[in-house]
């Protein structure tokens, strides 16, 4: 009976504390697994955001050097970090020259890509940082780990680009991945080495938070400016519509008076004129009927145009003949105004001015005097009305203010005056020239045709 040979005695293995070959292999496998997980998280973030936006940072800056500044900074950091990282890894951590150079490029070159695609650059850099931590952890235990100082600098610069571009949700996810990577990789760090994981967590979190706050503050200010621009445009449009409605109401009153005269004359013509043929009587009756229909339609339009505040504004509309009373009232209000109209009496007597021009000239002078009272109290003012061929010239010139301007008046201008003048001049096909004078005064000059053209100029 043969006996089986004794089995060789198994040599007991020393406990693995992570410093032997097996521990090194496990650490390498764990770090690589973490790199895969970070790559998956980065791709998830990219998918959540959609296509990474390719518009460069400061692409809308007004100056060319501002638009080039992000590229210059990125190239400067990249050119400084690649040789520094290579030298430190080779000399302090004992990494081979080729591998050290590859790690330096992988951890620094994404800064150039970050100018236009910061999220893609982060995806590359975080993967390169985790994989580059393997030789760092295997190097001299007394050196800082798991991140090198150069990698932290590159990562913080990348965080600035991320904070200026990405949403708050994406920034939070990026920081959480950074925290997780620093904690997991830091598990394999030698306890005697200086921990740089906490430094990366604090610096990246602070930069992401500060950059996000600055970006959101800038976006809020841009939205406020845009809203103010829209509000100003809407206010100008509303003022324009109100002024047009006011002009339409006033012209209605003027035209309605003439239509009423036409109606009365057409109705009374058969009684005033003897021996009218039947055809003429029918013609006058047709004219009266058409005039009454026009008056009815105009009254309907007036009911729409008149606001509740203007219901009582039914008095006849003023004209050039009322300018002396207007100037007299202005003088009583404290403005030394003078009116010169050598040809005004002739214009009024010969009825050369159409009702629309007559009313527009009066309103232009009235608004100009109102502006003097508001913005240049006590200023000496000269109003001139004259004829220039087939046009009426209206000029209002005032000097600098003689009395202090009220703070309320100086800040409460709405632009109604100039808008109203422009609309009235545009209505009758004239021209308007307004502007300040060198001595601190102001000049308003309007040239109005004596008769309104069939189609007013635009």
């Amino acid at each position: 009976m043969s006996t089986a040979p004794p089995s060789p005695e198994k040599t007991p293995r020393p406990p693995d504390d992570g410093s032997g070959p097996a521990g090194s292999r496990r650490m390498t496998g764990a770090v690589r697994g973490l790199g895969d997980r970070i790559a998956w998280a980065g791709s998830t973030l990219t998918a959540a955001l959609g296509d990474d936006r390719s518009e460069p940072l400061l692409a809308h800056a007004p100056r060319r050097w501002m638009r080039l500044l992000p590229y210059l900074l990125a190239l400067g950091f990249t050119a400084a970090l690649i040789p520094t990282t290579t030298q430190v890894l080779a000399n302090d951590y004992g990494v081979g020259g080729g591998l050290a150079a590859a790690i330096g490029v992988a951890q620094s070159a994404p800064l150039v890509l970050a100018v236009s695609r910061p999220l893609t650059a982060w995806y590359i850099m975080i993967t390169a940082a985790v994989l580059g931590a393997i030789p760092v952890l295997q190097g001299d235990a007394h050196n800082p780990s798991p991140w090198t100082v150069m990698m932290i600098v590159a990562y913080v610069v990348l965080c600035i680009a991320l904070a200026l571009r990405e949403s708050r949700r994406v920034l939070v996810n990026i920081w959480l991945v950074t925290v997780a990577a620093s904690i997991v990789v830091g598990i394999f760090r030698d306890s005697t080495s200086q921990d740089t994981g906490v430094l990366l967590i604090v610096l990246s979190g602070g930069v992401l938070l500060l950059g996000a706050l600055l970006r959101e503050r800038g976006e809020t200010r841009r939205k406020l400016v845009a809203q103010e621009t829209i509000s100003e445009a809407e206010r100008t449009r509303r003022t324009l519509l109100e002024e047009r409605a006011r002009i339409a109401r006033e012209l209605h009153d003027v035209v309605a008076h003439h239509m009423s005269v036409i109606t009365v004359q057409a109705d009374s013509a058969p009684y005033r004129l003897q021996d009218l043929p039947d055809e003429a009587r029918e013609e006058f009756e047709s004219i009266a009927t058409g005039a009454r229909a026009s008056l009815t339609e105009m009254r309907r339009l007036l009911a729409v145009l008149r606001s509740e505040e203007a219901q009582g504004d039914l008095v006849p509309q003023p004209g050039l003949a009322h300018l002396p009373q207007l100037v007299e009232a202005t003088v009583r209000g404290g403005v030394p105004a003078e009116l010169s109209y050598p040809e005004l009496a002739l214009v009024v007597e010969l009825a050369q001015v159409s009702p629309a021009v007559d009313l527009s000239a009066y309103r232009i002078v009235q608004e100009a005097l109102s502006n003097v009272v508001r913005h240049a109290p006590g200023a000496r003012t000269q109003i001139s009305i004259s004829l220039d061929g087939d046009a009426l010239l209206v000029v209002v010139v005032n000097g600098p203010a003689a009395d202090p301007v009220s703070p309320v008046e100086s800040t409460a201008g709405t632009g109604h005056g100039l808008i109203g003048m422009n609309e009235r001049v545009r209505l009758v096909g004239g021209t308007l020239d307004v502007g300040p004078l060198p001595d601190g005064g102001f000049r308003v000059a309007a040239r109005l045709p004596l008769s309104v053209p069939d189609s007013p100029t635009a």
Side-chain angles (χ1 to χ4, degrees):
M1 182 177 179
S2 63
T3 60
S7 60
E9 184 178 357
K10 295 181 180 180
T11 305
R13 294 180 180 178
D16 189 358
D17 57 358
S19 59
S24 178
R25 286 193 297 271
R26 287 201 303 271
M27 179 190 70
T28 302
V31 173
R32 287 176 177 171
L34 177 63
D36 295 337
R37 289 181 174 85
I38 291 177
W40 173 83
S43 61
T44 303
L45 284 175
T46 305
L49 185 66
D51 292 338
D52 196 5
R53 289 165 286 181
S54 59
E55 185 178 75
L57 295 172
L58 303 182
H60 300 286
R63 299 183 181 274
R64 186 170 182 269
W65 69 267
M66 293 181 179
R67 296 191 292 270
L68 294 177
L69 183 60
Y71 289 101
L72 296 177
L73 293 176
L75 289 173
F77 276 105
T78 302
L81 289 174
I82 289 178
T84 306
T85 303
T86 303
Q87 184 177 6
V88 170
L89 289 177
N91 296 338
D92 297 346
Y93 293 91
V95 181
L99 180 59
I103 294 175
V105 172
Q107 293 181 352
S108 304
L111 292 179
V112 180
L113 179 62
V115 176
S116 58
R117 295 181 178 271
L119 193 60
T120 303
W122 171 83
Y123 167 74
I124 297 173
M125 183 176 288
I126 191 65
T127 304
V130 173
L131 296 178
I134 298 174
V136 171
L137 292 172
Q138 293 177 343
D140 191 347
H142 298 289
N143 290 321
S145 63
W147 317 120
T148 62
V149 176
M150 290 69 65
M151 198 286 294
I152 294 177
V153 172
Y155 198 85
V156 170
V157 173
L158 175 60
C159 287
I160 296 175
L162 288 166
L164 295 177
R165 177 65 63 82
E166 306 302 334
S167 64
R168 184 182 298 182
R169 177 180 59 84
V170 174
L171 296 180
V172 171
N173 289 334
I174 287 173
W175 186 72
L176 291 177
V177 172
T178 305
V179 173
S182 298
I183 292 176
V184 175
V185 176
I187 295 175
F188 304 96
R189 181 184 60 85
D190 191 281
S191 59
T192 60
S193 65
Q194 182 182 358
D195 186 6
T196 55
V198 176
L199 180 62
L200 180 64
I201 292 173
V202 173
L203 289 180
S204 62
V207 169
L208 291 174
L209 177 61
L210 181 60
L213 292 177
L214 292 177
R215 176 179 56 82
E216 292 174 358
R217 182 174 179 270
E219 291 178 353
T220 302
R221 292 185 63 181
R222 285 193 295 271
K223 290 179 181 178
L224 287 176
V225 171
Q227 186 61 41
E228 289 176 358
T229 303
I230 295 174
S231 299
E232 182 63 27
E234 182 63 26
R235 184 162 51 249
T236 301
R237 178 177 175 274
R238 185 170 60 250
T239 300
L240 182 63
L241 293 177
E242 291 174 355
E243 190 63 28
R244 287 181 177 179
R246 180 188 176 195
I247 294 173
R249 291 194 300 266
E250 294 176 349
L251 288 181
H252 167 273
D253 295 340
V254 174
V255 177
H257 169 72
H258 292 282
M259 293 297 295
S260 299
V261 173
I262 293 173
T263 303
V264 173
Q265 289 178 338
D267 282 335
S268 63
Y271 303 98
R272 292 184 289 102
L273 304 176
Q274 300 297 325
D275 300 329
L276 282 177
D278 293 338
E279 291 82 1
R281 291 178 181 273
E282 292 178 358
E283 188 68 22
F284 278 119
E285 183 178 353
S286 175
I287 293 174
T289 301
R292 278 192 292 268
S294 299
L295 279 174
T296 301
E297 293 299 325
M298 292 183 66
R299 291 191 181 99
R300 292 175 181 172
L301 176 63
L302 180 63
V304 175
L305 292 177
R306 286 194 185 277
S307 60
E308 295 180 358
E309 295 80 5
Q311 289 296 328
D313 187 15
L314 300 175
V315 297
Q317 297 299 335
L320 292 171
H322 298 83
L323 283 181
Q325 293 90 329
L326 175 63
V327 174
E328 183 180 350
T330 305
V331 172
R332 289 197 301 268
V335 175
E338 298 179 3
L339 174 64
S340 63
Y341 50 100
E343 298 174 89
L344 178 59
L346 179 62
V347 173
V348 175
E349 288 177 4
L350 297 180
Q352 293 179 333
V353 180
S354 67
V357 173
D358 192 30
L359 175 61
S360 296
Y362 178 88
R363 292 302 188 194
I364 289 173
V365 175
Q366 182 184 42
E367 187 58 45
L369 291 177
S370 298
N371 288 338
V372 173
V373 174
R374 286 195 297 265
H375 305 295
R380 184 168 295 279
T381 306
Q382 182 68 37
I383 304 100
S384 175
I385 308 293
S386 60
L387 284 177
D388 181 18
D390 58 349
L392 180 70
L393 297 181
V394 180
V395 181
V396 181
V397 179
N398 66 273
D403 301 325
V405 181
S406 170
V408 176
E409 294 293 351
S410 63
T411 58
T414 60
H416 283 66
L418 296 181
I419 292 177
M421 292 181 190
N422 275 295
E423 280 302 299
R424 291 183 183 280
V425 171
R426 178 175 175 269
L427 173 71
V428 298
T431 58
L432 179 68
D433 180 24
V434 298
L437 298 176
D439 62 353
F442 202 83
R443 177 177 180 269
V444 175
R447 190 176 190 275
L448 311 175
L450 296 179
S451 58
V452 180
D454 293 337
S455 57
T457 58

